[in-house]
Amino acid sequence: LKYRFLDLRRPSMLKNLRLRQSISFAAQSYLQSALGKGWQDEYYIWDCAAGTGNLLANFKDKYRIFASDFDKSNVDIMKELAKTKESEIKLNLLENHIFTFDFLNDDFSSLPQTLQEILKDEKKREKLIIFINPPYSTSGNAKTQRGTGQNKANVAKDTKIYHKYKEFLSLSADELYTQFFIRIYKEI
């Protein structure tokens, strides 16, 4: 884990991190203009493909923010960033609100109890914002769009959500981001 932080000392990596933070801030500014100044006190936030938590920078109420990722090493990094006292990349999250969860395969019953209660309560669920930059990948065959002959074969076809909604989604089911959106739309 410590070696992943060493790379942040390079100016180009720090510049990228600051850019991501400014994008996150712009998205949060939009939410404030759309939902009102005190929106963070009223709404819950769940980034269900959080990676290392870049989109969650600058959020204030750690009791209303949830972050999950299917990659345990990303979850470990977010937990470290949540513990950090002083850092440009500190995350304001509770440790038990950061968890491993494969949004395209896992059942909601494996979510933290607090988040399950929000999903089950219609009034609270209406106040849940899925704040996400979903992964982009297309399932393909041996010939990729770049013509390299290398591909993550069936990357989007090996999920439970793909199999559950492939008839409904047709060809767009081959896109991971479409699978995220359909699960959010149909199941949340």
Side-chain angles (χ1 to χ4, degrees), residues 76-112:
D76 291 342
I77 290 171
M78 284 190 287
K79 286 183 177 185
E80 280 296 315
L81 293 174
K83 287 185 216 174
T84 303
K85 298 288 185 217
E86 293 180 30
S87 171
E88 287 193 45
I89 53 174
K90 178 175 177 16
L91 292 177
N92 188 28
L93 282 92
L94 295 173
E95 188 172 348
N96 65 342
H97 284 196
I98 304 169
F99 52 95
T100 305
F101 184 77
D102 184 342
F103 193 78
L104 299 180
N105 287 300
D106 292 347
D107 188 81
F108 288 153
S109 64
S110 66
L111 294 171

Side-chain angles (χ1 to χ4, degrees), residues 44-49 66 68 99 101 103-104 106-108 111 115-132 161 164-165 179-188:
Y44 301 95
I45 308 296
W46 179 20
D47 187 342
C48 55
F66 299 86
S68 63
F99 52 95
F101 184 77
F103 193 78
L104 299 180
D106 292 347
D107 188 81
F108 288 153
L111 294 171
L115 189 52
Q116 285 185 46
E117 290 169 8
I118 292 167
L119 291 174
K120 290 176 185 174
D121 182 316
E122 186 176 344
K123 289 188 186 243
K124 288 182 178 179
R125 193 174 58 243
E126 288 175 358
K127 298 291 184 173
L128 176 63
I129 296 173
I130 306 298
F131 195 65
I132 180 176
I161 297 302
K164 186 173 183 178
Y165 295 111
Q179 293 178 37
F180 272 86
F181 291 147
I182 196 65
R183 186 167 196 197
I184 292 165
Y185 178 74
K186 292 281 196 178
E187 299 181 20
I188 296 180

